Amino acid sequence: MEVRIYYEDTDAGGVVYHSNYISYMERARTEFLRKHGLSVREMHDMGIIFPVVSIEANFRAPARLDDLLEVRTQIAALKNSSFTAAQQVVRKEDGKLLVEAKVTLACVNPEMRPRRLPQEIRDLFSSLMEEGA
């Protein structure tokens, strides 16, 4: 997913404020799921919710005003009721890695109780892990 950096994304130093990368990664995960036929809204309506339970991020270099970024997402790990996405934020112009993160999401029901990942989603994520997509 591509993200253009606007003035509102930057801090007083003229670089992207660190918490904004979390938002970019959230959008990219949603688009990743959509690309693979999963609608977050439809899953939510079926009682399948994916809250973030852990983020480990390494900030390597800053993005600045008007940079065009690419947020890459892959499924890195899969458990019975959670999965981990490996994400990278890269500046498109020069391919520089700016941020890399591992984001773990639990599968819960509307009452926020853990539930097993539906088999169709497990199968999809397993195949994506095999492909490296």
Side-chain angles (χ1 to χ4, degrees):
M1 183 192 86
E2 291 184 350
V3 175
R4 174 74 63 189
I5 301 304
Y6 298 102
Y7 188 72
E8 68 186 21
D9 296 314
T10 62
D11 62 15
V15 300
V16 171
Y17 188 68
H18 69 280
S19 67
N20 287 335
Y21 292 107
I22 304 302
S23 296
Y24 306 153
M25 289 186 283
E26 176 73 33
R27 289 183 218 157
R29 286 192 308 277
T30 298
E31 292 305 319
F32 174 85
L33 293 172
R34 184 185 321 275
K35 174 184 171 187
H36 295 290
L38 299 172
S39 162
V40 172
R41 181 174 185 157
E42 287 174 9
M43 287 187 293
H44 186 273
D45 291 346
M46 294 184 321
I48 303 166
I49 304 167
F50 294 123
V52 171
V53 295
S54 173
I55 296 178
E56 178 184 328
N58 293 304
F59 299 91
R60 307 240 179 247
R64 299 184 185 280
L65 182 64
D66 205 41
D67 280 351
L68 182 60
L69 309 181
E70 180 179 48
V71 185
R72 301 172 182 166
T73 304
Q74 292 183 306
I75 302 299
L78 184 58
K79 294 186 178 178
N80 288 331
S81 56
S82 68
F83 67 96
T84 299
Q87 295 190 273
Q88 296 180 325
V89 180
V90 175
R91 186 171 29 245
K92 280 202 73 154
E93 179 182 359
D94 59 6
K96 177 122 179 121
L97 176 64
L98 307 179
V99 180
E100 58 185 342
K102 292 206 182 297
V103 182
T104 301
L105 300 98
C107 184
V108 300
N109 65 22
E111 291 76 35
M112 295 296 156
R113 289 193 165 75
R115 63 170 287 176
R116 291 181 67 83
L117 282 165
Q119 191 61 48
E120 315 84 67
I121 295 174
R122 288 184 58 74
D123 292 345
L124 172 64
F125 287 178
S126 289
S127 69
L128 292 172
M129 286 174 60
E130 290 172 10
E131 295 172 13

